[in-house]
PDB file of all heavy atoms in Angstrom:
ATOM      1  N   LEU A 815     -11.932  -3.387 -18.279  1.00  0.00           N
ATOM      2  CA  LEU A 815     -12.700  -2.897 -19.462  1.00  0.00           C
ATOM      3  C   LEU A 815     -13.558  -4.129 -20.011  1.00  0.00           C
ATOM      4  O   LEU A 815     -14.661  -4.044 -20.247  1.00  0.00           O
ATOM      5  CB  LEU A 815     -11.773  -2.569 -20.584  1.00  0.00           C
ATOM      6  CG  LEU A 815     -11.127  -1.135 -20.638  1.00  0.00           C
ATOM      7  CD1 LEU A 815     -10.131  -1.116 -21.718  1.00  0.00           C
ATOM      8  CD2 LEU A 815     -12.339  -0.134 -20.997  1.00  0.00           C
ATOM      9  N   ALA A 816     -12.849  -5.240 -20.025  1.00  0.00           N
ATOM     10  CA  ALA A 816     -13.500  -6.428 -20.548  1.00  0.00           C
ATOM     11  C   ALA A 816     -14.775  -6.805 -19.608  1.00  0.00           C
ATOM     12  O   ALA A 816     -15.863  -7.168 -20.197  1.00  0.00           O
ATOM     13  CB  ALA A 816     -12.614  -7.778 -20.559  1.00  0.00           C
ATOM     14  N   MET A 817     -14.682  -6.510 -18.236  1.00  0.00           N
ATOM     15  CA  MET A 817     -15.830  -6.865 -17.449  1.00  0.00           C
ATOM     16  C   MET A 817     -17.024  -5.920 -17.702  1.00  0.00           C
ATOM     17  O   MET A 817     -18.084  -6.336 -17.666  1.00  0.00           O
ATOM     18  CB  MET A 817     -15.300  -6.585 -16.084  1.00  0.00           C
ATOM     19  CG  MET A 817     -14.337  -7.735 -15.606  1.00  0.00           C
ATOM     20  SD  MET A 817     -13.547  -7.440 -13.916  1.00  0.00           S
ATOM     21  CE  MET A 817     -15.010  -7.945 -12.919  1.00  0.00           C
ATOM     22  N   VAL A 818     -16.675  -4.596 -17.955  1.00  0.00           N
ATOM     23  CA  VAL A 818     -17.641  -3.712 -18.240  1.00  0.00           C
ATOM     24  C   VAL A 818     -18.476  -4.072 -19.512  1.00  0.00           C
ATOM     25  O   VAL A 818     -19.594  -3.958 -19.690  1.00  0.00           O
ATOM     26  CB  VAL A 818     -17.172  -2.331 -18.275  1.00  0.00           C
ATOM     27  CG1 VAL A 818     -18.211  -1.163 -18.828  1.00  0.00           C
ATOM     28  CG2 VAL A 818     -16.610  -1.816 -16.909  1.00  0.00           C
ATOM     29  N   GLN A 819     -17.611  -4.455 -20.532  1.00  0.00           N
ATOM     30  CA  GLN A 819     -18.184  -4.838 -21.853  1.00  0.00           C
ATOM     31  C   GLN A 819     -18.880  -6.069 -21.734  1.00  0.00           C
ATOM     32  O   GLN A 819     -19.879  -6.293 -22.387  1.00  0.00           O
ATOM     33  CB  GLN A 819     -17.111  -4.797 -22.897  1.00  0.00           C
ATOM     34  CG  GLN A 819     -16.494  -3.430 -23.196  1.00  0.00           C
ATOM     35  CD  GLN A 819     -15.229  -3.480 -23.964  1.00  0.00           C
ATOM     36  OE1 GLN A 819     -14.777  -4.370 -24.630  1.00  0.00           O
ATOM     37  NE2 GLN A 819     -14.546  -2.345 -23.859  1.00  0.00           N
ATOM     38  N   MET A 820     -18.411  -6.947 -20.964  1.00  0.00           N
ATOM     39  CA  MET A 820     -18.974  -8.244 -20.785  1.00  0.00           C
ATOM     40  C   MET A 820     -20.421  -8.172 -20.084  1.00  0.00           C
ATOM     41  O   MET A 820     -21.329  -8.797 -20.618  1.00  0.00           O
ATOM     42  CB  MET A 820     -18.096  -9.234 -19.878  1.00  0.00           C
ATOM     43  CG  MET A 820     -18.390 -10.654 -20.067  1.00  0.00           C
ATOM     44  SD  MET A 820     -18.244 -11.187 -21.638  1.00  0.00           S
ATOM     45  CE  MET A 820     -19.856 -12.230 -21.765  1.00  0.00           C
ATOM     46  N   ASP A 821     -20.484  -7.282 -19.089  1.00  0.00           N
ATOM     47  CA  ASP A 821     -21.738  -6.990 -18.500  1.00  0.00           C
ATOM     48  C   ASP A 821     -22.737  -6.500 -19.482  1.00  0.00           C
ATOM     49  O   ASP A 821     -23.860  -6.959 -19.383  1.00  0.00           O
ATOM     50  CB  ASP A 821     -21.460  -6.017 -17.279  1.00  0.00           C
ATOM     51  CG  ASP A 821     -22.730  -5.571 -16.575  1.00  0.00           C
ATOM     52  OD1 ASP A 821     -23.126  -6.353 -15.688  1.00  0.00           O
ATOM     53  OD2 ASP A 821     -23.313  -4.588 -16.788  1.00  0.00           O
ATOM     54  N   GLU A 822     -22.372  -5.577 -20.219  1.00  0.00           N
ATOM     55  CA  GLU A 822     -23.080  -4.984 -21.349  1.00  0.00           C
ATOM     56  C   GLU A 822     -23.684  -6.060 -22.252  1.00  0.00           C
ATOM     57  O   GLU A 822     -24.792  -6.136 -22.623  1.00  0.00           O
ATOM     58  CB  GLU A 822     -22.287  -3.859 -21.963  1.00  0.00           C
ATOM     59  CG  GLU A 822     -23.032  -3.039 -23.046  1.00  0.00           C
ATOM     60  CD  GLU A 822     -24.284  -2.331 -22.374  1.00  0.00           C
ATOM     61  OE1 GLU A 822     -24.135  -1.913 -21.203  1.00  0.00           O
ATOM     62  OE2 GLU A 822     -25.340  -2.161 -23.132  1.00  0.00           O
ATOM     63  N   ALA A 823     -22.635  -6.891 -22.667  1.00  0.00           N
ATOM     64  CA  ALA A 823     -22.941  -7.873 -23.619  1.00  0.00           C
ATOM     65  C   ALA A 823     -24.055  -8.960 -23.100  1.00  0.00           C
ATOM     66  O   ALA A 823     -25.095  -9.327 -23.894  1.00  0.00           O
ATOM     67  CB  ALA A 823     -21.721  -8.697 -24.105  1.00  0.00           C
ATOM     68  N   LEU A 824     -24.042  -9.357 -21.850  1.00  0.00           N
ATOM     69  CA  LEU A 824     -24.862 -10.175 -21.243  1.00  0.00           C
ATOM     70  C   LEU A 824     -26.351  -9.484 -21.217  1.00  0.00           C
ATOM     71  O   LEU A 824     -27.315 -10.246 -21.626  1.00  0.00           O
ATOM     72  CB  LEU A 824     -24.494 -10.523 -19.808  1.00  0.00           C
ATOM     73  CG  LEU A 824     -23.290 -11.451 -19.574  1.00  0.00           C
ATOM     74  CD1 LEU A 824     -22.955 -11.486 -18.135  1.00  0.00           C
ATOM     75  CD2 LEU A 824     -23.503 -12.811 -20.175  1.00  0.00           C
ATOM     76  N   ARG A 825     -26.318  -8.311 -21.117  1.00  0.00           N
ATOM     77  CA  ARG A 825     -27.629  -7.578 -21.129  1.00  0.00           C
ATOM     78  C   ARG A 825     -28.173  -7.643 -22.611  1.00  0.00           C
ATOM     79  O   ARG A 825     -29.380  -8.002 -22.788  1.00  0.00           O
ATOM     80  CB  ARG A 825     -27.505  -6.188 -20.710  1.00  0.00           C
ATOM     81  CG  ARG A 825     -27.754  -5.917 -19.249  1.00  0.00           C
ATOM     82  CD  ARG A 825     -27.243  -4.499 -18.979  1.00  0.00           C
ATOM     83  NE  ARG A 825     -26.449  -4.723 -17.675  1.00  0.00           N
ATOM     84  CZ  ARG A 825     -27.023  -4.840 -16.477  1.00  0.00           C
ATOM     85  NH1 ARG A 825     -28.183  -4.713 -16.318  1.00  0.00           N
ATOM     86  NH2 ARG A 825     -26.156  -5.039 -15.392  1.00  0.00           N
ATOM     87  N   THR A 826     -27.317  -7.108 -23.485  1.00  0.00           N
ATOM     88  CA  THR A 826     -27.783  -6.926 -24.852  1.00  0.00           C
ATOM     89  C   THR A 826     -28.207  -8.278 -25.526  1.00  0.00           C
ATOM     90  O   THR A 826     -29.124  -8.270 -26.312  1.00  0.00           O
ATOM     91  CB  THR A 826     -26.892  -6.117 -25.833  1.00  0.00           C
ATOM     92  OG1 THR A 826     -25.707  -6.874 -25.810  1.00  0.00           O
ATOM     93  CG2 THR A 826     -26.567  -4.812 -25.354  1.00  0.00           C
ATOM     94  N   HIS A 827     -27.626  -9.316 -25.124  1.00  0.00           N
ATOM     95  CA  HIS A 827     -27.893 -10.675 -25.651  1.00  0.00           C
ATOM     96  C   HIS A 827     -28.982 -11.370 -24.832  1.00  0.00           C
ATOM     97  O   HIS A 827     -29.270 -12.479 -25.139  1.00  0.00           O
ATOM     98  CB  HIS A 827     -26.673 -11.546 -25.817  1.00  0.00           C
ATOM     99  CG  HIS A 827     -25.730 -11.113 -26.809  1.00  0.00           C
ATOM    100  ND1 HIS A 827     -24.786 -10.200 -26.563  1.00  0.00           N
ATOM    101  CD2 HIS A 827     -25.514 -11.507 -28.045  1.00  0.00           C
ATOM    102  CE1 HIS A 827     -24.045  -9.953 -27.698  1.00  0.00           C
ATOM    103  NE2 HIS A 827     -24.452 -10.826 -28.645  1.00  0.00           N
ATOM    104  N   ASN A 828     -29.521 -10.556 -23.869  1.00  0.00           N
ATOM    105  CA  ASN A 828     -30.450 -11.147 -23.012  1.00  0.00           C
ATOM    106  C   ASN A 828     -30.161 -12.474 -22.374  1.00  0.00           C
ATOM    107  O   ASN A 828     -30.975 -13.452 -22.366  1.00  0.00           O
ATOM    108  CB  ASN A 828     -31.822 -11.430 -23.827  1.00  0.00           C
ATOM    109  CG  ASN A 828     -32.669 -10.229 -23.597  1.00  0.00           C
ATOM    110  OD1 ASN A 828     -32.844  -9.681 -22.343  1.00  0.00           O
ATOM    111  ND2 ASN A 828     -33.330  -9.705 -24.601  1.00  0.00           N
ATOM    112  N   LEU A 829     -28.996 -12.597 -21.938  1.00  0.00           N
ATOM    113  CA  LEU A 829     -28.372 -13.842 -21.448  1.00  0.00           C
ATOM    114  C   LEU A 829     -28.658 -14.137 -20.014  1.00  0.00           C
ATOM    115  O   LEU A 829     -28.784 -12.965 -19.285  1.00  0.00           O
ATOM    116  CB  LEU A 829     -26.970 -14.057 -21.805  1.00  0.00           C
ATOM    117  CG  LEU A 829     -26.576 -14.123 -23.266  1.00  0.00           C
ATOM    118  CD1 LEU A 829     -25.135 -13.940 -23.441  1.00  0.00           C
ATOM    119  CD2 LEU A 829     -27.082 -15.414 -23.923  1.00  0.00           C
ATOM    120  N   ARG A 830     -28.872 -15.238 -19.427  1.00  0.00           N
ATOM    121  CA  ARG A 830     -29.095 -15.634 -18.132  1.00  0.00           C
ATOM    122  C   ARG A 830     -27.732 -15.847 -17.419  1.00  0.00           C
ATOM    123  O   ARG A 830     -27.624 -16.001 -16.165  1.00  0.00           O
ATOM    124  CB  ARG A 830     -30.064 -16.705 -17.850  1.00  0.00           C
ATOM    125  CG  ARG A 830     -31.454 -16.378 -18.202  1.00  0.00           C
ATOM    126  CD  ARG A 830     -32.358 -17.715 -18.160  1.00  0.00           C
ATOM    127  NE  ARG A 830     -31.910 -18.513 -19.268  1.00  0.00           N
ATOM    128  CZ  ARG A 830     -31.966 -19.874 -19.115  1.00  0.00           C
ATOM    129  NH1 ARG A 830     -32.399 -20.415 -17.969  1.00  0.00           N
ATOM    130  NH2 ARG A 830     -31.600 -20.745 -20.187  1.00  0.00           N
ATOM    131  N   SER A 831     -26.697 -16.064 -18.170  1.00  0.00           N
ATOM    132  CA  SER A 831     -25.395 -16.308 -17.690  1.00  0.00           C
ATOM    133  C   SER A 831     -24.949 -15.264 -16.717  1.00  0.00           C
ATOM    134  O   SER A 831     -25.314 -14.125 -16.913  1.00  0.00           O
ATOM    135  CB  SER A 831     -24.410 -16.565 -18.758  1.00  0.00           C
ATOM    136  OG  SER A 831     -24.658 -17.521 -19.657  1.00  0.00           O
ATOM    137  N   ARG A 832     -24.142 -15.663 -15.735  1.00  0.00           N
ATOM    138  CA  ARG A 832     -23.725 -14.635 -14.797  1.00  0.00           C
ATOM    139  C   ARG A 832     -22.078 -14.656 -14.583  1.00  0.00           C
ATOM    140  O   ARG A 832     -21.583 -15.722 -14.460  1.00  0.00           O
ATOM    141  CB  ARG A 832     -24.292 -14.906 -13.358  1.00  0.00           C
ATOM    142  CG  ARG A 832     -25.848 -14.968 -13.358  1.00  0.00           C
ATOM    143  CD  ARG A 832     -26.259 -15.673 -11.995  1.00  0.00           C
ATOM    144  NE  ARG A 832     -27.723 -15.890 -12.034  1.00  0.00           N
ATOM    145  CZ  ARG A 832     -28.295 -17.006 -11.602  1.00  0.00           C
ATOM    146  NH1 ARG A 832     -27.694 -17.955 -11.166  1.00  0.00           N
ATOM    147  NH2 ARG A 832     -29.635 -16.954 -11.651  1.00  0.00           N
ATOM    148  N   MET A 833     -21.662 -13.483 -14.465  1.00  0.00           N
ATOM    149  CA  MET A 833     -20.301 -13.253 -14.194  1.00  0.00           C
ATOM    150  C   MET A 833     -20.050 -13.368 -12.681  1.00  0.00           C
ATOM    151  O   MET A 833     -20.848 -12.733 -11.973  1.00  0.00           O
ATOM    152  CB  MET A 833     -19.901 -11.848 -14.717  1.00  0.00           C
ATOM    153  CG  MET A 833     -18.235 -11.720 -14.538  1.00  0.00           C
ATOM    154  SD  MET A 833     -17.802 -10.466 -15.786  1.00  0.00           S
ATOM    155  CE  MET A 833     -18.686  -9.034 -15.463  1.00  0.00           C
ATOM    156  N   LEU A 834     -19.181 -14.270 -12.176  1.00  0.00           N
ATOM    157  CA  LEU A 834     -19.090 -14.459 -10.761  1.00  0.00           C
ATOM    158  C   LEU A 834     -17.680 -13.979 -10.110  1.00  0.00           C
ATOM    159  O   LEU A 834     -17.688 -13.411  -9.022  1.00  0.00           O
ATOM    160  CB  LEU A 834     -19.230 -15.981 -10.524  1.00  0.00           C
ATOM    161  CG  LEU A 834     -20.429 -16.633 -10.965  1.00  0.00           C
ATOM    162  CD1 LEU A 834     -20.409 -18.147 -10.560  1.00  0.00           C
ATOM    163  CD2 LEU A 834     -21.648 -16.054 -10.338  1.00  0.00           C
ATOM    164  N   LEU A 835     -16.725 -14.157 -10.887  1.00  0.00           N
ATOM    165  CA  LEU A 835     -15.368 -13.923 -10.311  1.00  0.00           C
ATOM    166  C   LEU A 835     -14.377 -13.277 -11.300  1.00  0.00           C
ATOM    167  O   LEU A 835     -14.594 -13.582 -12.514  1.00  0.00           O
ATOM    168  CB  LEU A 835     -14.659 -15.185  -9.786  1.00  0.00           C
ATOM    169  CG  LEU A 835     -15.356 -16.027  -8.568  1.00  0.00           C
ATOM    170  CD1 LEU A 835     -14.644 -17.229  -8.337  1.00  0.00           C
ATOM    171  CD2 LEU A 835     -15.490 -15.203  -7.371  1.00  0.00           C
ATOM    172  N   GLN A 836     -13.430 -12.511 -10.779  1.00  0.00           N
ATOM    173  CA  GLN A 836     -12.387 -12.103 -11.469  1.00  0.00           C
ATOM    174  C   GLN A 836     -10.962 -12.380 -10.812  1.00  0.00           C
ATOM    175  O   GLN A 836     -10.981 -12.157  -9.582  1.00  0.00           O
ATOM    176  CB  GLN A 836     -12.310 -10.508 -11.683  1.00  0.00           C
ATOM    177  CG  GLN A 836     -11.402 -10.040 -12.750  1.00  0.00           C
ATOM    178  CD  GLN A 836     -10.237  -9.225 -11.963  1.00  0.00           C
ATOM    179  OE1 GLN A 836      -9.663  -9.667 -10.938  1.00  0.00           O
ATOM    180  NE2 GLN A 836      -9.979  -7.990 -12.356  1.00  0.00           N
ATOM    181  N   VAL A 837     -10.188 -13.123 -11.516  1.00  0.00           N
ATOM    182  CA  VAL A 837      -8.849 -13.468 -10.858  1.00  0.00           C
ATOM    183  C   VAL A 837      -7.739 -12.888 -11.606  1.00  0.00           C
ATOM    184  O   VAL A 837      -6.884 -13.597 -12.208  1.00  0.00           O
ATOM    185  CB  VAL A 837      -8.707 -14.920 -10.763  1.00  0.00           C
ATOM    186  CG1 VAL A 837      -7.606 -15.284  -9.733  1.00  0.00           C
ATOM    187  CG2 VAL A 837     -10.065 -15.599 -10.185  1.00  0.00           C
ATOM    188  N   HIS A 838      -7.699 -11.632 -11.699  1.00  0.00           N
ATOM    189  CA  HIS A 838      -6.544 -10.829 -12.394  1.00  0.00           C
ATOM    190  C   HIS A 838      -6.442 -11.011 -13.868  1.00  0.00           C
ATOM    191  O   HIS A 838      -6.441 -10.094 -14.537  1.00  0.00           O
ATOM    192  CB  HIS A 838      -5.324 -11.091 -11.701  1.00  0.00           C
ATOM    193  CG  HIS A 838      -5.336 -11.066 -10.179  1.00  0.00           C
ATOM    194  ND1 HIS A 838      -5.719  -9.929  -9.564  1.00  0.00           N
ATOM    195  CD2 HIS A 838      -4.903 -11.879  -9.211  1.00  0.00           C
ATOM    196  CE1 HIS A 838      -5.722 -10.086  -8.313  1.00  0.00           C
ATOM    197  NE2 HIS A 838      -5.176 -11.231  -8.064  1.00  0.00           N
ATOM    198  N   ASP A 839      -6.381 -12.220 -14.378  1.00  0.00           N
ATOM    199  CA  ASP A 839      -6.337 -12.490 -15.815  1.00  0.00           C
ATOM    200  C   ASP A 839      -7.451 -13.347 -16.318  1.00  0.00           C
ATOM    201  O   ASP A 839      -7.399 -13.959 -17.420  1.00  0.00           O
ATOM    202  CB  ASP A 839      -5.042 -12.796 -16.229  1.00  0.00           C
ATOM    203  CG  ASP A 839      -4.568 -14.197 -15.867  1.00  0.00           C
ATOM    204  OD1 ASP A 839      -5.350 -14.858 -15.035  1.00  0.00           O
ATOM    205  OD2 ASP A 839      -3.492 -14.661 -16.244  1.00  0.00           O
ATOM    206  N   GLU A 840      -8.449 -13.643 -15.320  1.00  0.00           N
ATOM    207  CA  GLU A 840      -9.383 -14.714 -15.618  1.00  0.00           C
ATOM    208  C   GLU A 840     -10.734 -14.170 -15.175  1.00  0.00           C
ATOM    209  O   GLU A 840     -10.849 -13.515 -14.052  1.00  0.00           O
ATOM    210  CB  GLU A 840      -9.018 -15.968 -14.758  1.00  0.00           C
ATOM    211  CG  GLU A 840      -9.907 -17.183 -14.774  1.00  0.00           C
ATOM    212  CD  GLU A 840      -9.654 -18.179 -13.894  1.00  0.00           C
ATOM    213  OE1 GLU A 840      -8.769 -18.011 -12.988  1.00  0.00           O
ATOM    214  OE2 GLU A 840     -10.149 -19.178 -13.922  1.00  0.00           O
ATOM    215  N   LEU A 841     -11.752 -14.576 -16.025  1.00  0.00           N
ATOM    216  CA  LEU A 841     -13.088 -14.213 -15.644  1.00  0.00           C
ATOM    217  C   LEU A 841     -13.890 -15.713 -15.406  1.00  0.00           C
ATOM    218  O   LEU A 841     -13.735 -16.520 -16.230  1.00  0.00           O
ATOM    219  CB  LEU A 841     -14.011 -13.438 -16.525  1.00  0.00           C
ATOM    220  CG  LEU A 841     -13.297 -12.016 -16.755  1.00  0.00           C
ATOM    221  CD1 LEU A 841     -14.056 -11.240 -17.867  1.00  0.00           C
ATOM    222  CD2 LEU A 841     -13.382 -11.267 -15.377  1.00  0.00           C
ATOM    223  N   VAL A 842     -14.693 -15.895 -14.393  1.00  0.00           N
ATOM    224  CA  VAL A 842     -15.438 -16.972 -14.225  1.00  0.00           C
ATOM    225  C   VAL A 842     -16.968 -16.744 -14.190  1.00  0.00           C
ATOM    226  O   VAL A 842     -17.340 -15.758 -13.612  1.00  0.00           O
ATOM    227  CB  VAL A 842     -15.059 -17.738 -12.801  1.00  0.00           C
ATOM    228  CG1 VAL A 842     -15.812 -18.903 -12.411  1.00  0.00           C
ATOM    229  CG2 VAL A 842     -13.609 -17.819 -12.705  1.00  0.00           C
ATOM    230  N   PHE A 843     -17.735 -17.550 -14.896  1.00  0.00           N
ATOM    231  CA  PHE A 843     -19.060 -17.438 -15.071  1.00  0.00           C
ATOM    232  C   PHE A 843     -19.787 -18.570 -14.603  1.00  0.00           C
ATOM    233  O   PHE A 843     -19.263 -19.724 -14.634  1.00  0.00           O
ATOM    234  CB  PHE A 843     -19.463 -17.228 -16.424  1.00  0.00           C
ATOM    235  CG  PHE A 843     -18.795 -15.970 -17.116  1.00  0.00           C
ATOM    236  CD1 PHE A 843     -17.467 -15.856 -17.502  1.00  0.00           C
ATOM    237  CD2 PHE A 843     -19.462 -14.799 -17.241  1.00  0.00           C
ATOM    238  CE1 PHE A 843     -16.951 -14.775 -18.105  1.00  0.00           C
ATOM    239  CE2 PHE A 843     -19.049 -13.623 -17.788  1.00  0.00           C
ATOM    240  CZ  PHE A 843     -17.664 -13.687 -18.116  1.00  0.00           C
ATOM    241  N   GLU A 844     -21.126 -18.563 -14.406  1.00  0.00           N
ATOM    242  CA  GLU A 844     -21.973 -19.904 -14.442  1.00  0.00           C
ATOM    243  C   GLU A 844     -22.970 -19.550 -15.612  1.00  0.00           C
ATOM    244  O   GLU A 844     -23.527 -18.427 -15.822  1.00  0.00           O
ATOM    245  CB  GLU A 844     -22.650 -19.970 -13.081  1.00  0.00           C
ATOM    246  CG  GLU A 844     -23.536 -18.953 -12.558  1.00  0.00           C
ATOM    247  CD  GLU A 844     -24.085 -19.328 -11.125  1.00  0.00           C
ATOM    248  OE1 GLU A 844     -23.762 -20.341 -10.616  1.00  0.00           O
ATOM    249  OE2 GLU A 844     -24.899 -18.445 -10.605  1.00  0.00           O
ATOM    250  N   VAL A 845     -23.166 -20.686 -16.276  1.00  0.00           N
ATOM    251  CA  VAL A 845     -23.895 -20.566 -17.526  1.00  0.00           C
ATOM    252  C   VAL A 845     -24.884 -21.635 -17.696  1.00  0.00           C
ATOM    253  O   VAL A 845     -24.590 -22.893 -17.459  1.00  0.00           O
ATOM    254  CB  VAL A 845     -22.722 -20.832 -18.672  1.00  0.00           C
ATOM    255  CG1 VAL A 845     -23.400 -20.746 -20.036  1.00  0.00           C
ATOM    256  CG2 VAL A 845     -21.691 -19.752 -18.536  1.00  0.00           C
ATOM    257  N   PRO A 846     -26.064 -21.337 -18.055  1.00  0.00           N
ATOM    258  CA  PRO A 846     -27.079 -22.322 -18.353  1.00  0.00           C
ATOM    259  C   PRO A 846     -26.733 -23.108 -19.681  1.00  0.00           C
ATOM    260  O   PRO A 846     -25.983 -22.513 -20.579  1.00  0.00           O
ATOM    261  CB  PRO A 846     -28.418 -21.640 -18.599  1.00  0.00           C
ATOM    262  CG  PRO A 846     -28.112 -20.206 -18.894  1.00  0.00           C
ATOM    263  CD  PRO A 846     -26.687 -20.016 -18.289  1.00  0.00           C
TER     264      PRO A 846
END
Side-chain angles (χ1 to χ4, degrees):
Chain A
L815 277 173
M817 293 171 77
V818 172
Q819 292 169 17
M820 200 57 230
D821 179 77
E822 185 61 32
L824 289 176
R825 265 166 233 281
T826 56
H827 291 83
N828 264 319
L829 296 170
R830 288 173 293 147
S831 297
R832 302 166 186 137
M833 185 153 58
L834 302 180
L835 298 176
Q836 187 250 48
V837 193
H838 309 308
D839 65 354
E840 174 187 16
L841 295 177
V842 179
F843 298 81
E844 57 182 5
V845 177

